[in-house]
Amino acid sequence: VYNYRQKLMNSKNEDRLYLRTIWENFKDGFYLSPGEIAILNGDTGVGKTAFCQNIAYYSGKKVLYLSLEVNLNLINRRFIQIAHKFTKEQANTQLIENPDTCAELLTKIDTLSMPPNIEGIRRLIAELEPDLLIVDPLDGIKPKRYTSDNRQRVDSAIHGLREIVDTYEVIALVVAHPGKAESRLGMMDAHSSKDSATIGQKADVIFAFEGSRSTSRRMLRTTKARDGNPIMEYLDFEPLTFNFTTHKN
């Protein structure tokens, strides 16, 4: 009781991540708090990485971004595109002609593409003290001991992240992949993460991120919200600049 009381007394609204500060159509009361893990489930190609990058850049938080599928050069170029609403060609020109300006845009975002293990992530959190940790994707984290069993890899990773988040009071946004059946049928729920039911147990919030690659509209809905109201919101995706904007009916 006293530990929780102290946590309440120390908590500040500015420490929370309010999605409404990025997209004005989102519910005013929905936020992620320090010490919470949010899982982002979504099919390949719907823009999960771009969505995470939009949150990383527009939130204004100090971010540690672990890009474990997309290489560092590409992820940083996409950050430039998001920040300036540039196409690929415009971003490349900006990087050549104004590299210092581009670097200034990413002063609050530390990116890493070499897959770490849980202990490596723990050291990075202790050293960099980010407000927000983004892991993209969860199964890119190296296991402590080699195993070909992906379920064991994912279970070990989510257990380790749960401990880190609880210890360092960081917000974690973690990309996971849904099982093929749920993805195909559009039936994602709190237990739809590929290879592991443990994700649903350890996460505080689980988002389903859905949409067709042939259209711009995306839906973000909660399939689990341990300490808050569920949400269902719509965004428009601009693939040329990797920006998400409020969906216009």
Side-chain angles (χ1 to χ4, degrees):
V1 172
Y2 291 106
N3 286 341
Y4 182 60
R5 176 178 179 271
Q6 189 63 44
K7 182 177 179 178
L8 288 175
M9 292 174 65
N10 292 337
S11 66
K12 301 175 183 177
N13 285 343
E14 59 263 32
D15 295 333
R16 297 168 176 168
L17 174 56
Y18 288 88
L19 296 185
R20 188 178 172 86
T21 63
I22 306 173
W23 299 290
E24 68 271 16
N25 64 315
F26 275 53
K27 286 184 179 178
D28 191 35
F30 185 84
Y31 56 84
L32 300 175
S33 295
E36 289 188 337
I37 295 177
I39 299 294
L40 184 68
N41 269 326
D43 200 3
T44 300
V46 297
K48 298 187 299 298
T49 295
F51 178 78
C52 289
Q53 287 190 270
N54 274 247
I55 288 179
Y57 180 74
Y58 290 116
S59 70
K61 301 287 186 185
K62 186 176 182 182
V63 179
L64 173 58
Y65 196 111
L66 303 183
S67 178
L68 308 181
E69 278 187 341
V70 180
N71 74 68
L72 207 56
N73 289 332
L74 183 54
I75 211 75
N76 285 332
R77 190 205 74 208
R78 289 182 179 182
F79 270 124
I80 303 304
Q81 290 181 251
I82 289 167
H84 287 291
K85 296 180 173 59
F86 277 170
T87 64
K88 171 184 174 180
E89 291 74 18
Q90 290 172 320
N92 286 339
T93 299
Q94 181 78 354
L95 282 162
I96 292 170
E97 297 179 355
N98 300 291
D100 292 340
T101 301
C102 292
E104 288 173 5
L105 292 172
L106 304 180
T107 54
K108 298 186 75 173
I109 303 173
D110 290 297
T111 54
L112 179 71
S113 62
M114 182 177 295
N117 57 26
I118 284 295
E119 286 307 311
I121 295 174
R122 187 191 305 277
R123 288 192 293 271
L124 286 167
I125 295 291
E127 177 186 348
L128 299 173
E129 298 182 337
D131 304 309
L132 174 63
L133 167 68
I134 296 178
V135 181
D136 182 12
L138 177 63
D139 59 11
I141 297 174
K142 283 185 177 180
K144 188 173 183 179
R145 296 182 181 85
Y146 173 78
T147 175
S148 59
D149 187 331
N150 205 53
R151 181 184 296 272
Q152 290 183 12
R153 289 171 58 96
V154 172
D155 283 352
S156 175
I158 195 65
H159 276 288
L161 285 179
R162 178 77 269 173
E163 183 180 340
I164 289 171
V165 165
D166 289 342
T167 300
Y168 293 96
E169 288 290 304
V170 64
I171 301 169
L173 177 60
V174 182
V175 174
H177 300 297
K180 290 183 179 179
E182 291 92 337
S183 174
R184 184 174 62 251
L185 297 173
M187 298 171 58
M188 283 188 284
D189 59 23
H191 303 287
S192 293
S193 298
K194 183 180 178 183
D195 294 322
S196 177
T198 306
I199 293 175
Q201 299 166 6
K202 295 296 182 182
D204 299 288
V205 176
I206 300 181
F207 294 113
F209 194 61
E210 298 166 307
S212 169
R213 280 171 277 184
S214 62
T215 66
S216 64
R217 193 174 83 156
R218 300 291 183 266
M219 178 175 69
L220 181 76
R221 62 182 175 89
T222 48
T223 60
K224 175 183 178 180
R226 180 173 284 165
D227 193 26
N229 295 321
I231 64 167
M232 181 183 292
E233 305 289 356
Y234 293 92
L235 295 167
D236 287 322
F237 179 44
E238 174 46 69
L240 292 180
T241 67
F242 294 97
N243 270 273
F244 283 92
T245 57
T246 299
H247 177 68
K248 306 297 183 183
N249 292 323

